Amino acid sequence: MAAVQETVEQVRRIDVEQYKYGFVTDIESEKAPKGLSEDIVRFISAKKNEPAWMLDWRLDAYRRWLTMREPEWARVSYPKIDYQDLYYYSAPKKKPELASLDEVDPEILKTYEKLGIPLREQELLAGVVRPEGERRIAVDAVFDSVSVATTFQKELQEAGVIFMPISEALREYPELVRKYLGSVVPTSDNYFATLNSAVFSDGSFVYVPPGVRCPMELSTYFRINERNTGQFERTLIIADKGAYVSYLEGCTAPQRDENQLHAAVVELVAMDDAEIKYSTVQNWYPGNAEGVGGIYNFVTKRGDCRGDNSKISWTQVETGSAITWKYPSCILRGDNSSGEFYSIAISNGHQQVDSGTKMIHLGKNTSSRIISKGIAAGVSQNTYRGQVTAHRKAAGARNFTACDSLLIGDMCGAHTVPYIEARNPTAVFEHEATTSKISEDVLFYCIQRGLSQEEAVGLVVNGFVKDVLQQLPMEFAVEAQKLISISLEGSVG
Amino acid sequence: MTALLEIRDLRAEIGGRKILNGLDLTVNKGEIHAIMGPNGAGKSTLSYVLAGKPGYEITGGQVLFNGEDLFEMSPDERAAKGVFLAFQYPLEIPGVATLTFLRAALNAQRKKRGEEELSSPDLLKRVRELAKKLGIDPEMLRRPLNVGFSGGEKKRNETLQMALLEPRLCVLDETDSGLDIDALKVVANGVNQLRSTERGMIVITHYQRLLDYIVPDVVHVLAAGRIVETGGKDLALQLEATGYAQYQNEAA
């Protein structure tokens, strides 16, 4: 059999068998009644002990949502979602306030252990002598609708960094949250973001004060466990003047036959001279070989380079989800601000990806860079959709975009849809795009040197995505590389 | 003594087109065989069939490699057992550093042979030594494999791979194509360094020129998928004067 044909056969078989995170944690949970109404919104707000203004904010979003229509412009297709057939709130049954990690349900800790997420900071610290300068990661773990644990709280506090579940921040730092929440993604932004505004139940909140370089990587790990439950988390990160923070996000979900909705909103705000680096490794359950089940990942992520000389950088490795609809964007408002988007999007089986970015140049001498690597296999469809605009006043705006697509087999599709709009005559925008098929001759060359079929595909694909992998923090890069191999290679041996 | 390579009455086709029509060839350890012939005679097909490139159908005959049936082995197994093909047009792999590729290849072969993988520092040391010996700029090791390499660099890189992997049978497919005389000398010098009593080589070429630098023990003429004449190195010189026309007539 021809080399590529063999690869195609292999990748066709793998999705189900390869998804290692498909287990379900058996835990009692407390749910809101099924469906969505004003009462549900009130229920969620009450569960969280929120201030009154927050409830009003949610209700306002909910009422607006009722008047909106689900967007249809993306190159994805799925049966109509019955929003009344979902649970909007699910929490592991346990004390609402946890004093320490020891109070977290051991079943949940086990789940995160199984996923390879280090929650137990004492274990991290004890025993092994850590080499000087080794980076540690503080983790906020979100289980269905609630945050269950946040590590390294104390150490972060000493540095003045606030890193906590957003529900907690709403109670402890209401003014800070109120000032920034919805200031990047307004409640009226789009169908899914508006829905999120009404029903979001938890997520992470980060505030890095002026001049502070966050002493460690911050990370949130999202896990959907419950059946028929939507996950609507909300992340808000603020880097004040001259601050720096690097944030990582990981996601998995059990294998279920029905589709699960994940509609998150992430807002980033970078003030003068601040920098935010946001990295995602998204590995939601993609559905089985026949395309049954899997997560609908409808996510709004946006960063606002509000201050001069600020910088926001998005790096994403997208391998999971039945459908991905996601455009992490940058608003380059401050003069000399810059935005970056590095993406690896892999689709296999019946997955559909419509992802890309928006770079909105408003300030003077703003610059942006987009490097997108799409890999399509199986019968999947992989679309890059990007928008680069320069406002009338955005003198000296610069953008460089490179979109490369790699096809494995002949039943998948890669599409590139760039929107480019320059309203200032001094703007310089460059766009490059390539689409190629994984070459039979290249694979044979590798195999002739002794590599197996799968090793050859892995090598070629890792070379293809190298520019983007290099952007990830090291811990994530290793994980991502493994994930890429798993997503494409099929079982080794 | 078992021959290193024994090809008996080999017949192969691609897409229904008959390319090899009863080819016989025996290569012993330590020997260099040149295979010359006109375009379309089946020279490259022979190299691909030996290496196991997909798409070729073996319709008859047998190939024994150290007494083992070569066609019973997958292409990567053949590589691990010591079959090396130096490509006429080495392929580019963007984003994969040459050193990374060398490590992946060597360790894949060692793993298949049940040997321990070579550690990165050991590998680097060894590759550096070989590069020096072959006159290769170590900077090349960091560049993505063959991407933006000149014709000469690509062929030198093939030689480096050959030196590292230490194959028992080297098949050099038109190694001279795309090389000027200086680059040709460097590559030939590299190949000559790899001559060994334990190793056999098949040098496929269209022109006598290469054989001035890589001097063969035996020269064969391949026409219409068969060896039609065999002789010493003088045969190559003779061909240079007379051309291949006589054999094409014979084949037809």
Side-chain angles (χ1 to χ4, degrees):
Chain A
M1 202 190 302
V4 167
Q5 192 52 39
E6 248 175 68
T7 311
V8 170
E9 294 294 330
Q10 274 167 357
V11 294
R12 198 173 288 156
R13 287 195 300 266
I14 64 168
D15 7 17
V16 186
E17 294 78 2
Q18 288 298 311
Y19 194 75
K20 290 181 182 162
Y21 311 103
F23 61 88
V24 179
T25 305
D26 194 11
I27 187 159
E28 255 193 287
S29 64
E30 184 183 17
K31 284 184 195 166
K34 218 179 205 178
L36 186 54
S37 63
E38 280 202 16
D39 286 344
I40 293 292
V41 175
R42 286 175 199 281
F43 174 91
I44 293 168
S45 188
K47 271 279 160 209
K48 300 280 168 190
N49 276 325
E50 285 175 356
W53 64 265
M54 192 61 220
L55 175 62
D56 292 341
W57 196 85
R58 286 177 180 278
L59 288 172
D60 179 53
Y62 174 68
R63 288 171 197 137
R64 193 180 282 271
W65 181 72
L66 290 175
T67 69
M68 295 169 90
R69 287 184 51 186
E70 210 168 315
E72 284 168 356
W73 43 262
R75 198 189 172 91
V76 296
S77 67
Y78 53 93
K80 215 159 166 42
I81 299 171
D82 182 354
Y83 289 89
Q84 296 304 337
D85 196 35
L86 288 176
Y87 291 103
Y88 288 82
Y89 182 86
S90 166
K93 240 183 205 165
K94 195 74 183 138
K95 282 183 262 177
E97 299 285 341
L98 298 173
S100 80
L101 275 173
D102 295 334
E103 292 181 33
V104 176
D105 191 308
E107 281 299 313
I108 293 178
L109 287 180
K110 248 188 256 165
T111 301
Y112 281 95
E113 231 168 72
K114 232 163 149 181
L115 296 168
I117 315 300
L119 280 190
R120 294 196 153 268
E121 53 193 298
Q122 57 270 41
E123 278 176 23
L124 261 175
L125 293 167
V128 198
V129 180
R130 299 267 150 183
E132 190 75 15
E134 193 197 60
R135 275 186 303 189
R136 282 165 304 154
I137 306 174
V139 181
D140 182 20
V142 176
F143 198 84
D144 287 333
S145 305
V146 296
S147 171
V148 291
T150 308
T151 61
F152 288 108
Q153 288 266 34
K154 211 186 231 167
E155 215 167 320
L156 289 167
Q157 259 168 29
E158 276 163 22
V161 175
I162 303 172
F163 177 43
M164 56 172 57
I166 199 162
S167 55
E168 219 171 297
L170 268 163
R171 295 191 296 270
E172 291 192 28
Y173 303 95
E175 288 316 309
L176 203 52
V177 177
R178 191 174 189 177
K179 185 172 167 193
Y180 293 104
L181 188 71
S183 72
V184 186
V185 179
T187 50
S188 58
D189 194 79
N190 70 72
Y191 190 80
F192 299 112
T194 305
L195 176 62
N196 174 287
S197 300
V199 301
F200 80 84
S201 38
D202 224 330
S204 300
F205 176 78
V206 178
Y207 175 79
V208 188
V212 172
R213 200 181 160 86
C214 189
M216 62 183 80
E217 309 263 353
L218 303 183
S219 167
T220 299
Y221 201 87
F222 297 106
R223 173 81 180 166
I224 298 179
N225 189 56
E226 272 303 313
R227 189 178 291 273
N228 283 327
T229 300
Q231 190 172 39
F232 306 92
E233 83 271 358
R234 186 104 192 177
T235 301
L236 177 57
I237 300 175
I238 301 130
D240 215 323
K241 290 181 184 177
Y244 169 86
V245 62
S246 169
Y247 184 90
L248 322 170
E249 174 199 74
C251 348
T252 58
Q255 225 164 285
R256 295 196 183 279
D257 292 342
E258 74 271 19
N259 296 106
Q260 283 166 289
L261 178 63
H262 173 253
V265 172
V266 175
E267 297 178 278
L268 312 181
V269 181
M271 307 308 282
D272 287 353
D273 305 303
E275 181 177 348
I276 301 175
K277 201 171 153 56
Y278 194 105
S279 311
T280 305
V281 174
Q282 185 266 109
N283 186 25
W284 294 120
Y285 177 54
N288 72 7
E290 279 73 49
V292 176
I295 301 288
Y296 292 161
N297 192 31
F298 300 149
V299 171
T300 304
K301 293 185 170 181
R302 196 173 303 152
D304 189 356
C305 286
R306 208 164 278 180
D308 293 348
N309 312 310
S310 56
K311 181 177 176 185
I312 288 179
S313 178
W314 298 99
T315 304
Q316 59 171 22
V317 177
E318 302 279 322
T319 63
S321 298
I323 298 177
T324 299
W325 180 99
K326 179 182 170 188
Y327 316 90
S329 305
C330 296
I331 300 167
L332 303 166
R333 198 183 304 275
D335 291 347
N336 309 312
S337 61
S338 64
E340 291 175 338
F341 175 74
Y342 297 100
S343 170
I344 298 169
I346 298 179
S347 57
N348 193 1
H350 288 256
Q351 282 176 283
Q352 304 174 63
V353 177
D354 194 303
S355 182
T357 183
K358 286 192 269 187
M359 292 291 172
I360 313 294
H361 293 257
L362 302 178
K364 292 185 182 57
N365 299 315
T366 50
S367 63
S368 60
R369 184 178 170 83
I370 299 171
I371 309 287
S372 164
K373 305 277 181 179
I375 299 158
V379 291
S380 67
Q381 296 294 326
N382 201 320
T383 302
Y384 166 81
R385 189 182 302 277
Q387 185 179 24
V388 179
T389 60
H391 194 258
R392 265 187 313 110
K393 290 175 182 167
R398 291 197 63 107
N399 165 265
F400 173 76
T401 300
C403 297
D404 299 320
S405 305
L406 185 68
L407 299 166
I408 300 178
D410 51 10
M411 296 195 305
C412 51
H415 318 273
T416 303
V417 191
Y419 303 83
I420 300 168
E421 193 182 350
R423 293 194 178 178
N424 184 296
T426 62
V428 180
F429 291 170
E430 291 173 71
H431 182 96
E432 290 175 8
T434 66
T435 301
S436 54
K437 251 180 107 158
I438 197 160
S439 149
E440 181 114 10
D441 287 342
V442 168
L443 291 184
F444 176 63
Y445 186 70
C446 297
I447 291 166
Q448 208 298 306
R449 296 298 184 255
L451 274 72
S452 69
Q453 173 78 21
E454 291 167 7
E455 288 165 337
V457 172
L459 191 75
V460 172
V461 169
N462 272 306
F464 177 72
V465 301
K466 191 181 171 210
D467 300 349
V468 175
L469 274 185
Q470 281 173 338
Q471 299 298 327
L472 285 172
M474 221 210 315
E475 299 84 348
F476 256 31
V478 174
E479 189 186 330
Q481 205 161 359
K482 271 191 254 164
L483 196 56
I484 290 165
S485 302
I486 290 168
S487 303
L488 286 171
E489 281 185 23
S491 44
V492 177
Chain B
M1 190 187 72
T2 313
L4 177 64
L5 182 75
E6 199 174 347
I7 303 175
R8 292 186 201 138
D9 193 32
L10 179 60
R11 288 159 198 276
E13 51 186 69
I14 183 164
R17 207 155 44 89
K18 292 189 171 74
I19 310 284
L20 299 182
N21 300 300
L23 188 146
D24 294 289
L25 178 69
T26 301
V27 178
N28 292 305
K29 279 197 278 190
E31 292 177 353
I32 295 196
H33 289 239
I35 295 186
M36 303 183 71
N39 289 326
K43 299 194 298 292
S44 285
T45 297
L46 174 62
S47 68
Y48 286 146
V49 164
L50 291 176
K53 188 175 185 183
Y56 292 90
E57 198 188 337
I58 312 299
T59 51
Q62 195 184 26
V63 176
L64 297 177
F65 180 60
N66 279 318
E68 287 183 78
D69 187 346
L70 189 73
F71 297 143
E72 287 295 310
M73 306 172 202
S74 64
D76 49 333
E77 263 176 76
R78 295 180 203 187
K81 292 207 167 172
V83 176
F84 182 94
L85 171 60
F87 282 62
Q88 184 179 359
Y89 304 109
L91 288 115
E92 303 181 357
I93 312 185
V96 177
T98 300
L99 187 66
T100 306
F101 181 77
L102 292 174
R103 179 170 50 228
L106 181 66
N107 282 336
Q109 292 202 8
R110 292 177 74 105
K111 214 166 68 189
K112 286 197 174 76
R113 293 195 291 259
E115 298 165 15
E116 211 166 297
E117 295 189 11
L118 208 63
S119 74
S120 292
D122 287 348
L123 180 100
L124 185 63
K125 201 171 144 225
R126 188 144 153 213
V127 172
R128 281 231 176 98
E129 278 168 14
L130 292 170
K132 197 173 166 194
K133 211 165 121 190
L134 297 169
I136 290 171
D137 183 354
E139 173 62 22
M140 184 197 258
L141 302 173
R142 288 162 49 186
R143 290 160 66 192
L145 186 73
N146 291 325
V147 178
F149 284 23
S150 69
E153 284 176 323
K154 283 184 182 175
K155 295 297 164 76
R156 254 178 285 164
N157 193 291
E158 294 290 285
T159 319
L160 177 62
Q161 292 180 35
M162 198 153 75
L164 178 70
L165 298 173
E166 300 180 306
R168 307 171 81 169
L169 174 70
C170 304
V171 182
L172 279 65
D173 189 6
E174 309 232 6
T175 291
D176 49 338
S177 73
L179 296 189
D180 60 31
I181 194 73
D182 295 327
L184 180 65
K185 279 184 191 167
V186 174
V187 171
N189 179 40
V191 173
N192 285 330
Q193 289 189 44
L194 298 173
R195 288 183 92 139
S196 139
T197 51
E198 290 304 304
R199 186 171 288 146
M201 291 194 192
I202 297 175
V203 179
I204 293 172
T205 181
H206 195 72
Y207 300 105
Q208 131 77 16
R209 191 178 68 155
L210 177 67
L211 305 181
D212 287 341
Y213 303 99
I214 303 174
V215 181
D217 300 301
V218 190
V219 175
H220 307 273
V221 178
L222 178 65
R226 290 190 304 125
I227 301 290
V228 292
E229 188 159 0
T230 297
K233 56 183 183 251
D234 294 343
L235 178 58
L237 291 168
Q238 196 185 313
L239 282 169
E240 190 78 352
T242 58
Y244 295 112
Q246 46 176 328
Y247 303 111
Q248 273 163 316
N249 291 341
E250 189 179 298

